[in-house]
Amino acid sequence: MSPDELIYLGLLVLSIPLGGLVRQVREPTWRRAVVFAVGAGQVLLTCRWDTLHSLVSILGTFTILKTAGPRTSHLLTFVWCFGYLAFFRTCHLFHLPSPAAVANAVQLVLTLKLSSVAFDIRDSHLAEKSRKDGNDNSADGGTAQEGTRHKTAEQEFLPVPSLIDLFCYSYCYIGVYTGPFYKYKTYHDFIHQERPSSLPVIQPLLDRAKWMPLTGGVFLLASRYFPIAYAHTEEFYATSGVPYRLWYMLGMFLVFRMRMYSAWILAECSCITAGLGAYEEWRKPKCGQGPTVGGTPKPEDKSPQGTRYNFETIKNVDIYWVELGTTIRSGMKYWNMTVQYWMAEYIYRRVPHKTFRVATTMLLSAYWHGFHPGYYLSLMTIPLSLWVETEASTTFRTRLGIRGQRIWGWLHCFLKMRAYDYMSVGFLLLSFEATTKYWHSICYIYYIFCAVVLALSYCCKQKVLGHMHNASRNDTAVKKMSM
């Protein structure tokens, strides 16, 4: 493991028992101070002078939120935060020291946090205006649902946070390096929990931690046999053929995703022990979003043992569905789930033209990850993958019976993972030359496969259209003869 990975591991492991101590602090002011002090201390200790980057980002965001109105502050904050990422990654061109990898991790998470605050403020102002104008049906919901106690959670009005609150949210030690992403509202609810020490955290903690021996063990074992550095050497290409390179690509992605699984599991465990993201089950919290149901609980929602809680809000990965989901789209949905939520909520749904939503989201995701060409080569392959997947499903899968569709599902699951193997090369080798060299050495097999599937789909559709045209001509001929 690299020194950076050891730092991440140490901080993540230490944050888990620390969460138990945080839950013992009931006073909101003290809870806020504790989580801020620990987070800010970690950032200062690991990033040192690079901490100035995050400090400037926060001050710039606060200035925009205070001076610009809610109609434009979200766009200005978005441009500021993501624009600062460009300076952050190119500051060496201005004769400034390049930030460390740890500082890059902090800046990535911070960019999502700060821009989400601006978007949420804007959305809450729109919802408030709609309610005042009488256009929101939530006011009628109380009359229409007098016999029930559940109603859809309304968009609460979110004022501009104070500078202290924004600092505390930004430097909260939970997820400051690795995520998961959580909204300012989620953080506010965490700080103002009434009885945090009584939250049932043991079983949720065990449910998440049970994957750790497997993912950690496979990572340590596989990283010995599939070191990424070896794929950069001339020896690798001189001594291996296409079958071995395909196998090695599978192994590299195995190492990558086991490492990510392990980091996200530990990050979720730190959230659970602290109580961050704990909401009553009857409120139906969703990943990244938080509660989706407001009001008071129904009698059947209460158990003899007390109120039931879950931590869906901070769930960042569902290993089962990533590994065994039958489509590329489903696998993406359950990978880095809170960041996927951020991309969907603040980017995908706000792109005016549906045609460009996937490409725009993937392009921004690549930019957020970094300037390395490998990110763009990999993530911009996803729109092609989703297109091929849709074409194959509508053209071939719908013609199969129940047994055929079951076999199709397993075959598609296998091919989905091989597509991920291929796209992971860009994330792991990073440079344009290294990525394209590897893909060239395996004959761009995935792109050829996509082209073949699209060609077969086109031919099949043309054949169907031909049959339909002939049938129409025959029907016309029959009608004329009957006349």
Side-chain angles (χ1 to χ4, degrees):
M1 296 179 69
S2 67
D4 288 332
E5 289 175 334
L6 289 174
I7 291 174
Y8 288 143
L9 178 61
L11 293 174
L12 286 171
V13 171
L14 288 174
S15 66
I16 295 175
L18 179 61
L21 299 177
V22 170
R23 279 192 302 110
Q24 304 306 314
V25 183
R26 299 184 59 176
E27 176 60 37
T29 303
W30 282 105
R31 280 168 67 82
R32 183 181 68 170
V34 169
V35 298
F36 166 74
V38 173
Q42 288 180 349
V43 172
L44 284 170
L45 183 64
T46 56
C47 301
R48 299 185 180 180
W49 288 106
D50 291 335
T51 306
L52 289 173
H53 289 290
S54 57
L55 183 65
V56 170
S57 298
I58 297 169
L59 292 174
T61 299
F62 180 75
T63 302
I64 293 172
L65 293 177
K66 278 296 187 181
T67 57
R71 296 180 63 179
T72 59
S73 61
H74 62 298
L75 295 177
L76 293 174
T77 301
F78 175 82
V79 172
W80 162 251
C81 291
F82 279 83
Y84 193 85
L85 270 182
F87 170 75
F88 177 83
R89 289 163 177 159
T90 59
C91 60
H92 60 280
L93 300 177
F94 300 92
H95 306 289
L96 296 174
S98 297
V102 179
N104 181 65
V106 173
Q107 197 69 26
L108 287 177
V109 177
L110 185 63
T111 298
L112 301 185
K113 281 184 173 182
L114 294 177
S115 52
S116 73
V117 172
F119 277 108
D120 289 342
I121 290 174
R122 185 253 187 182
D123 291 346
S124 72
H125 276 75
L126 290 179
E128 182 70 13
K129 184 178 184 298
S130 181
R131 283 192 289 269
K132 288 180 179 179
D133 293 343
N135 297 327
D136 186 67
N137 59 10
S138 61
D140 299 329
T143 304
Q145 303 182 24
E146 284 185 12
T148 65
R149 299 191 180 187
H150 277 183
K151 60 179 180 179
T152 303
E154 297 178 357
Q155 174 76 48
E156 296 184 13
F157 181 76
L158 179 62
V160 176
S162 68
L163 182 59
I164 294 177
D165 286 332
L166 195 62
F167 266 113
C168 292
Y169 168 60
S170 301
Y171 286 125
C172 177
Y173 81 92
I174 305 172
V176 71
Y177 296 104
T178 58
F181 162 77
Y182 48 89
K183 290 185 172 186
Y184 179 80
K185 177 66 168 58
T186 303
Y187 164 79
H188 181 272
D189 293 343
F190 159 68
I191 294 298
H192 292 86
Q193 286 169 340
E194 293 185 0
R195 295 186 300 275
S197 59
S198 63
L199 289 173
V201 300
I202 299 300
Q203 191 57 49
L205 181 65
L206 294 177
D207 289 340
R208 295 308 293 153
K210 67 183 179 183
W211 289 96
M212 192 61 203
L214 175 63
T215 60
V218 173
F219 167 70
L220 292 175
L221 180 64
S223 58
R224 295 183 59 185
Y225 295 98
F226 300 99
I228 297 171
Y230 184 49
H232 285 280
T233 63
E234 290 299 327
E235 179 187 357
F236 172 76
Y237 294 98
T239 60
S240 64
V242 172
Y244 181 77
R245 292 167 195 161
L246 292 171
W247 168 250
Y248 203 85
M249 184 172 67
L250 184 151
M252 288 195 300
F253 182 53
L254 177 67
V255 173
F256 174 72
R257 69 179 188 273
M258 290 302 127
R259 181 181 64 190
M260 300 308 298
Y261 288 160
S262 301
W264 289 333
I265 289 171
L266 290 175
E268 286 184 44
C269 288
S270 68
C271 293
I272 292 171
T273 57
L276 176 66
Y279 288 104
E280 300 90 336
E281 286 188 355
W282 64 265
R283 300 182 70 182
K284 294 181 172 53
K286 291 185 178 180
C287 172
Q289 180 177 351
T292 59
V293 171
T296 56
K298 295 178 180 178
E300 58 267 27
D301 291 324
K302 298 181 179 180
S303 65
Q305 293 77 24
T307 305
R308 292 171 294 188
Y309 291 83
N310 69 37
F311 289 85
E312 288 296 313
T313 302
I314 50 85
K315 187 174 183 179
N316 211 30
V317 65
D318 192 318
I319 297 176
Y320 178 86
W321 285 108
V322 172
E323 298 290 328
L324 297 179
T326 57
T327 64
I328 292 175
R329 191 182 300 272
S330 67
M332 289 170 53
K333 180 180 178 181
Y334 294 103
W335 170 273
N336 203 1
M337 294 166 65
T338 57
V339 174
Q340 295 289 352
Y341 166 80
W342 190 97
M343 291 290 174
E345 176 68 17
Y346 301 114
I347 304 302
Y348 180 85
R349 296 190 181 102
R350 298 172 195 258
V351 175
H353 301 287
K354 291 184 178 180
T355 308
F356 305 110
R357 284 181 174 178
V358 174
T360 301
T361 305
M362 291 301 104
L363 183 62
L364 183 74
S365 179
Y367 174 84
W368 178 72
H369 280 90
F371 282 171
H372 295 291
Y375 294 146
Y376 299 85
L377 290 171
S378 293
L379 288 172
M380 295 312 293
T381 303
I382 290 178
L384 170 65
S385 303
L386 297 179
W387 178 31
V388 172
E389 185 174 78
T390 302
E391 288 292 318
S393 180
T394 55
T395 306
F396 306 117
R397 182 181 179 275
T398 53
R399 301 170 180 271
L400 302 175
I402 297 177
R403 184 179 179 184
Q405 290 191 8
R406 188 178 295 114
I407 296 173
W408 173 278
W410 284 108
L411 176 62
H412 204 167
C413 177
F414 173 81
L415 293 175
K416 173 206 73 177
M417 295 308 295
R418 304 295 71 79
Y420 288 163
D421 294 341
Y422 188 87
M423 288 184 280
S424 71
V425 171
F427 265 79
L428 298 173
L429 302 187
L430 298 178
S431 72
F432 179 86
E433 293 78 10
T435 302
T436 53
K437 182 178 182 179
Y438 201 107
W439 284 350
H440 180 76
S441 74
I442 55 175
C443 307
Y444 296 98
I445 187 170
Y446 181 64
Y447 292 135
I448 293 175
F449 173 79
C450 289
V452 170
V453 172
L454 290 174
L456 291 175
S457 176
Y458 175 79
C459 293
C460 185
K461 287 182 177 180
Q462 291 299 115
K463 186 176 181 181
V464 171
L465 289 175
H467 285 312
M468 293 175 62
H469 182 66
N470 292 334
S472 178
R473 290 177 61 185
N474 291 336
D475 290 342
T476 303
V478 171
K479 289 180 180 179
K480 287 183 177 179
M481 290 177 62
S482 63
M483 292 174 64

